[in-house]
Amino acid sequence: MIKELQLRINLIEERRENILLYKASKELGVDKNEISAVKVLRKSIDARKKDIIFNYKVAVYINETVPEQSDYIFDYKDVSNAKEIHIIGFGPAGMYAALRCIELGYKPIVLERGKNVQERRRDIRAINQEHIVNENSNYCFGEGGAGTYSDGKLYTRSLKRGDVRRIFENLVFHGATEQILVDAHPHIGTNKLPKIIQNIRENILKFGGEIHFETKVTDFIINNNKLKAIQINSINEMAVNSVILATGHSARDIYELLHKKNIALKAKSFAMGVRVEHPQEIIDQIQYNCSGERDELLPAAAYSLVNQINNRGVYSFCMCPGGFIVPAATASGEVVVNGMSPSRRNNKFANSGIVVELDINKDFKKYEHFGALKGLEFQKDLEKIAFLAGGRSQTAPAQRLVDFVDGKLSSTLNDCSYQPGLNSAPLHSLLPKIIGSRLRKGFAAFGQKMHGYYTNEANIIGVESRTSSPVNIPRKENLEHPEIEGLFPCGEGGGYAGGIVSAAMDGERCAEAAIKVTR
């Protein structure tokens, strides 16, 4: 017999060995010797009150054997001589599209503009230490996409778009810890993601797929509204049948190429703002109602904030407890910041994007002549402003939090995790009013919700501009572009995902859709 239970465990109980067995036995009125195992299905922390509670959802096996295998079986076939599906981009959407193709008996040909995870590290080091931006290999481009060097957050609200559990199980199959199957807000950590991504690559190659790094798609060859071939590195052409376009939200050259060829695009609403960084201890004390350091059993505290300011949402985005702020520029002459965390989340800072919703139909009047690329051009301009204000390098413009709200230039800045360094700048006047004025009111409001959050011990760093794509590549119900036969826009780059899990699910769906027209 198997019984499911909800168990509440306090901090003192959490330290006790076999506490779940003891609690389950007591709750069910069953001798603990009759319980074969207590399997944790879900774990979360309730820190709303001073007495912190661990909530467990468990399956109690009473005189039952716990199954050794997952219900999910990934049956990869040798596809060396199978029909081909071309995939542009090897981020989460492209990776999962390739894996799904192999499961279904088709050969994925992956074209990735960047380098593999090992070689990509040199370019990450160069942007951090020497302020050199490699336009094809950076925090956004390369094997694993932007997700490789991130927190590896796996939380998603896209529960209707596919089987979330299947995505998690596949990550475990390729080396992720089983803890991601349990945690309410699972993450992998930037230190562990590269090895998992390498395992995925090796599996794709093992079963006959192809992956070509430093292979940039520079043109689409189209005849009678049918995609016939793609141009590689401005030189070679490759004949194609079905193409999954999974280039990510920062592949601006792809949007510009499609726009130049008069292929339908749509401007899309998105969000922009700054990244705020506090000492992690401040966030721990607020969230756990503690003084000094948090209890060793508790993870670095996170937060989620939202407020309506002048009819627009101002909210936290990609919150990284115990993390780092990183330079996410994809071209020279721009400064872009993002956040990431290691698996242990043990850095002394907590950072989060704080962004403002932008309405593509109301906020870009001066950019209307750019058509579908109006949001993209606005995004570019803000990143150029940040570049100039930072000092014409990857040094980022920054301000103390209260100084920003008060409209005062900071004479000094706090220590920060952002490796290229900070330059004091008047972000309160540099940011466009539609963003800056709402952020200033938003931060003050957040201080009312989290007492201690509104402090000059925090820095704000500019700019957090790549939250999602400002462009949508339309597609029909069968996921194919409405004008170009054989082209399947996919993932964040198409405007159909907002993170690792939703992009992976969309990659699988696009693989299935592309296969239907390739039979």
Side-chain angles (χ1 to χ4, degrees):
M1 180 169 54
I2 303 171
K3 290 277 190 179
E4 287 194 4
L5 284 179
Q6 299 283 347
L7 299 176
R8 290 170 58 81
I9 310 292
N10 62 36
L11 269 172
I12 295 173
E13 292 172 326
E14 181 74 5
R15 288 183 166 81
R16 290 177 54 187
E17 190 176 355
N18 295 324
I19 185 61
L20 294 180
L21 174 63
Y22 170 78
K23 283 268 191 175
S25 171
K26 186 176 179 181
E27 184 81 16
L28 294 172
V30 175
D31 189 300
K32 63 178 184 290
N33 294 320
E34 295 183 43
I35 297 177
S36 312
V38 179
K39 182 178 180 181
V40 178
L41 304 177
R42 181 67 76 199
K43 180 182 179 182
S44 63
I45 296 174
D46 185 351
R48 289 173 295 178
K49 297 179 181 179
K50 192 163 185 178
D51 292 330
I52 294 170
I53 296 295
F54 293 86
N55 287 316
Y56 285 92
K57 180 181 179 182
V58 300
V60 184
Y61 289 76
I62 304 168
N63 297 320
E64 288 270 359
T65 304
V66 181
E68 293 183 8
Q69 273 193 326
S70 165
D71 293 335
Y72 290 81
I73 305 298
F74 298 99
D75 183 20
Y76 297 118
K77 305 171 175 65
D78 184 353
V79 295
S80 304
N81 300 311
K83 289 183 179 178
E84 297 174 352
I85 302 286
H86 288 78
I87 300 167
I88 306 175
F90 200 49
M95 287 191 298
Y96 271 79
L99 290 170
R100 189 65 179 141
C101 283
I102 293 173
E103 278 189 282
L104 297 174
Y106 285 75
K107 180 176 182 175
I109 308 291
V110 180
L111 311 172
E112 168 55 52
R113 70 194 298 165
K115 301 175 183 178
N116 66 38
V117 286
Q118 289 82 7
E119 294 180 11
R120 193 177 168 190
R121 287 194 180 101
R122 298 186 192 123
D123 300 309
I124 296 295
R125 191 179 306 117
I127 193 172
N128 274 307
Q129 297 179 1
E130 302 166 40
H131 300 225
I132 297 171
V133 181
N134 182 325
E135 297 191 359
N136 292 312
S137 179
N138 44 61
Y139 275 100
C140 291
F141 298 145
E143 185 175 25
T148 303
Y149 296 100
S150 72
D151 194 38
K153 285 181 283 292
L154 303 176
Y155 181 67
T156 181
R157 294 182 177 89
S158 303
L159 302 179
K160 295 181 180 179
R161 296 186 186 181
D163 188 344
V164 173
R165 177 77 180 200
R166 173 184 159 82
I167 302 301
F168 285 21
E169 291 277 3
N170 203 320
L171 285 168
V172 172
F173 180 81
H174 285 99
T177 171
E178 291 191 356
Q179 193 64 32
I180 68 171
L181 304 175
V182 171
D183 288 343
H185 292 87
H187 73 107
I188 295 175
T190 189
N191 55 318
K192 295 187 176 181
L193 276 164
K195 179 58 179 175
I196 295 165
I197 288 163
Q198 180 184 330
N199 291 342
I200 291 173
R201 179 221 309 160
E202 291 173 352
N203 222 15
I204 290 168
L205 296 176
K206 174 183 174 183
F207 288 96
E210 294 181 17
I211 303 170
H212 302 272
F213 293 109
E214 298 183 73
T215 304
K216 184 178 179 180
V217 173
T218 49
D219 202 1
F220 298 106
I221 314 304
I222 299 166
N223 287 326
N224 298 320
N225 295 327
K226 165 68 178 172
L227 185 55
K228 296 290 187 181
I230 49 181
Q231 184 189 72
I232 305 297
N233 296 333
S234 301
I235 301 172
N236 302 318
E237 285 189 12
M238 180 181 290
V240 297
N241 188 340
S242 294
V243 174
I244 297 171
L245 187 63
T247 46
H249 62 43
S250 289
R252 291 170 168 170
D253 56 308
I254 293 294
Y255 300 134
E256 289 161 355
L257 173 62
L258 294 173
H259 191 60
K260 182 180 177 182
K261 297 177 84 72
N262 294 315
I263 295 170
L265 298 173
K266 293 180 181 177
K268 172 180 159 290
S269 294
F270 60 112
M272 294 175 71
V274 295
R275 195 150 276 265
V276 62
E277 184 173 75
H278 291 76
Q280 180 64 51
E281 191 172 56
I282 288 178
I283 303 303
D284 290 341
Q285 289 170 358
I286 295 169
Q287 298 296 75
Y288 294 139
N289 297 296
C290 65
S291 58
E293 294 185 0
R294 68 180 184 272
D295 191 283
E296 62 182 0
L297 292 180
L298 296 172
Y303 62 83
S304 177
L305 292 166
V306 63
N307 213 315
Q308 287 292 313
I309 306 292
N310 299 338
N311 299 314
R312 298 294 171 78
V314 177
Y315 59 93
S316 57
F317 171 83
C318 184
M319 198 272 143
C320 298
F324 305 84
I325 298 177
V326 298
T330 53
S332 301
E334 64 188 31
V335 164
V336 182
V337 293
N338 197 1
M340 70 178 191
S341 297
S343 57
R344 292 177 62 195
R345 289 178 165 171
N346 57 351
N347 189 41
K348 64 180 181 179
F349 296 108
N351 73 77
S352 178
I354 302 293
V355 296
V356 177
E357 288 180 334
L358 299 176
D359 189 322
I360 203 67
N361 298 313
K362 297 179 180 179
D363 296 333
F364 302 95
K365 299 302 181 184
K366 293 181 181 178
Y367 293 81
E368 287 295 339
H369 60 287
F370 290 108
L373 302 186
K374 58 185 176 181
L376 178 59
E377 293 299 326
F378 177 87
Q379 194 183 55
K380 281 184 183 179
D381 282 352
L382 196 57
E383 293 168 4
K384 288 175 187 173
I385 289 170
F387 176 76
L388 295 173
R392 297 176 179 270
S393 68
Q394 285 304 301
T395 302
Q399 202 167 1
R400 290 182 184 244
L401 175 55
V402 178
D403 289 347
F404 171 70
V405 176
D406 289 344
K408 173 186 171 184
L409 182 67
S410 299
S411 57
T412 62
L413 296 168
N414 301 298
D415 289 342
C416 181
S417 67
Y418 183 72
Q419 195 171 347
L422 303 180
N423 183 49
S424 181
L427 286 169
H428 61 274
S429 61
L430 291 172
L431 291 171
K433 188 176 179 181
I434 55 173
I435 296 174
S437 64
R438 288 185 171 93
L439 284 177
R440 291 166 76 180
K441 292 177 182 177
F443 278 123
F446 294 159
Q448 296 296 316
K449 293 183 176 183
M450 288 178 63
H451 298 294
Y453 181 90
Y454 183 63
T455 172
N456 252 353
E457 290 186 62
N459 290 328
I460 64 163
I461 298 100
V463 288
E464 174 82 32
S465 51
R466 308 281 180 96
T467 59
S468 66
S469 172
V471 180
N472 170 248
I473 307 175
R475 61 190 189 189
K476 299 183 293 187
E477 196 172 322
N478 72 343
L479 309 189
E480 196 172 27
H481 191 278
E483 295 177 353
I484 308 301
E485 185 182 341
L487 180 64
F488 293 83
C490 180
E492 291 203 32
Y496 299 102
I500 292 172
V501 175
S502 57
M505 289 192 292
D506 202 56
E508 290 201 332
R509 292 177 65 217
C510 285
E512 293 163 4
I515 283 169
K516 286 181 181 177
V517 301
T518 310
R519 296 189 185 280

